[in-house]
Amino acid sequence: MHHRAPLPPRLADLPRAPAAAAVPRRARCRRRGGRRSGQGLTHPDWDAWEDSPLALAQAHETREKLKAAHSELAEEGAIEIVIIKTTGDMILDKPLADIGGKGLFTKEIDDALLQGRIDIAVHSMKDVPTYLPEGTILPCNLPREDVRDAFICLTANSLAELPAGSVVGSASLRRQSQILYRYPSLKVVNFRGNVQTRLRKLKEGDVSATLLALAGLRRLKMAENATAVLSVEEMLPAVAQGAIGIACRSNDDKMMEYLSSLNHEDTRLAVTCEREFLAVLDGNCRTPIAAYAYRDKDGNCSFRGLLSSPDGSKVFETARSGPYSFDDMVEMGKDAGHELKAKAGPGFFDSLQ
C-alpha cells in the first residue's frame, strides 16, 4: 500500500522574491527491416527530427546500445538514421498550446511507424502524449538522465539575482508558472527552437535568461553552458523529463524483442507513475503540470506532483510514498492526480481553455 508522504520543502514553502510595484528534437528512431537488402532485418531505418541535434544525439545513443546488445545490428549499414520533419518543428513562432500541443511532435512519426515506413521510434518521453496511437507500443525506456533544469544566463548566477523586469525565455508553462510563483517581478516570454538556437538568441540579447533540461545539455555534451542547476524543490521537472522511450508496432515481435533487451525497468516504472498522474489531470500544453517519481534510499517510490496556474498565482502540490512496483506506482500516480484535481476544482481547468 502506498501512503501520502510528508511533502519535502514545497514550492509554496520556499521564499518568494517580492513583486516590484511597477512590473508585476527529439529523436525518433524506426527501423525498416531489409527494404534495401532484402534480408529481413539487415537494414533498419532510424528516424530523427530534421533540425534537432538533440534528436540526432538520442538516435545515435539508441543505435549504439542496440549495436552493443545485438551483433547482427553492429554490422555496417544495419542501422540507418533518416529524417522526418514534423509540424512541431516547422512552427516555432507560436506557443505549442496555440498550434495543437505536443502531439505535433509525434504525429508524422506515428504515421510513418503505422504505415510500415519505419519500424522503431525513439522519443523524448516528456513530449509524448499520455495516449499512444492504436497499433503501437512503447516497451522500452533507456536509463533516465538527470531530471533537473539548468538555468542559463550571461549576467546573473540564479533566478533570484535577476533584476525586476528581466525577461526569461521559455516555451514551458510548467517552468513559467514556477518562476512567476517565486519571482513575480520577472517576465516570461515564449522561447522555442532547438538548444543551439535558444543559446544563440540568449547571447544576442533576445532574453536575459532561459531554462533548459540538463539531460538535453548532457546528451549534446553542452552541460558547460549551464550557469546553475536548479534543485527539484525549486523547479519540479516535467513528467518523464530526462527519459528516452522507444516505440514499435504492437504486432512486431522482433522489434519488441530488440527493445525489451534495452529496457531499464526503474525508469519505465517511474515514467509510468508520472504519466498516470498526468493522464488523470488530462494535462495539455495549457496546463502547467510537474511530477517526479524516483527510488528513494529505502528502495521505495517517492513521488511529488504539482499543478498550477500559468501565472503562478495558484499552486497545488502533493507527495506519495509506496512500494516500487508497477501496480502500486500506477495507483500512486492516479491517486495523486485525483487529489490535485479535487483541490483545484472544475473552475480551475475551465479557466485554462
Side-chain angles (χ1 to χ4, degrees), residues 68-331:
H70 302 280
S71 58
E72 69 271 26
L73 299 182
E75 298 175 5
E76 184 68 26
I79 300 175
E80 177 185 354
I81 294 179
V82 296
I83 292 168
I84 292 179
K85 187 97 169 174
T86 70
T87 304
D89 288 314
M90 294 183 280
I91 305 176
L92 297 176
D93 59 344
K94 297 179 181 179
L96 288 176
D98 293 347
I99 59 174
K102 291 183 178 181
L104 294 175
F105 286 119
T106 58
K107 184 180 184 303
E108 287 85 355
I109 295 168
D110 291 334
D111 289 346
L113 185 59
L114 289 168
Q115 292 164 10
R117 292 186 281 120
I118 55 177
D119 298 311
I120 297 176
V122 178
H123 297 283
S124 288
M125 283 303 301
K126 72 173 184 176
D127 294 324
V128 177
T130 51
Y131 62 88
L132 293 176
E134 186 176 355
T136 68
I137 188 171
L138 209 159
C140 173
N141 286 117
L142 300 184
R144 196 172 196 175
E145 246 288 4
D146 198 311
V147 303
R148 294 175 296 173
D149 282 315
F151 171 75
I152 305 175
C153 182
L154 303 179
T155 59
N157 293 317
S158 66
L159 284 164
E161 289 186 12
L162 288 173
S166 295
V167 177
V168 180
S170 176
S172 164
L173 289 182
R174 169 190 66 87
R175 291 175 178 137
Q176 172 182 305
S177 65
Q178 293 185 71
I179 290 171
L180 293 178
Y181 180 84
R182 291 196 63 202
Y183 307 102
S185 67
L186 300 179
K187 180 180 180 182
V188 184
V189 299
N190 184 53
F191 197 60
R192 292 187 56 211
N194 64 38
V195 171
Q196 288 80 355
T197 298
R198 297 188 206 192
L199 292 178
R200 174 178 55 78
K201 289 181 178 180
L202 174 65
K203 291 177 181 177
E204 291 174 352
D206 289 10
V207 296
S208 298
T210 190
L211 272 65
L212 293 172
L214 181 60
L217 292 174
R218 285 187 168 180
R219 288 182 176 126
L220 288 169
K221 304 190 186 319
M222 298 176 65
E224 71 278 2
N225 287 280
T227 305
V229 177
L230 304 181
S231 70
V232 294
E233 287 75 30
E234 183 175 4
M235 181 64 63
L236 199 63
V239 167
Q241 182 155 308
I244 293 175
I246 313 176
C248 65
R249 290 182 294 278
S250 55
N251 62 357
D252 194 335
D253 293 340
K254 187 60 177 178
M255 294 305 107
M256 279 194 275
E257 180 184 339
Y258 280 140
L259 298 184
S260 295
S261 70
L262 301 187
N263 181 55
H264 186 257
E265 190 65 1
D266 269 18
T267 297
R268 188 181 76 87
L269 296 186
V271 166
T272 297
C273 180
E274 294 166 20
R275 283 168 62 81
E276 291 290 345
F277 172 75
L278 180 65
V280 167
L281 293 172
D282 194 24
N284 56 44
C285 284
R286 296 188 187 277
T287 315
I289 294 172
Y292 180 37
Y294 64 97
R295 189 186 287 274
D296 63 24
K297 59 181 175 58
D298 297 319
N300 293 318
C301 174
S302 287
F303 172 85
R304 288 185 60 202
L306 177 148
L307 169 69
S308 61
S309 58
D311 63 1
S313 61
K314 297 179 180 178
V315 175
F316 306 96
E317 295 180 80
T318 188
R320 294 286 188 285
S321 179
Y324 209 99
S325 66
F326 182 83
D327 290 343
D328 287 285
M329 292 169 72
V330 165
E331 182 60 28

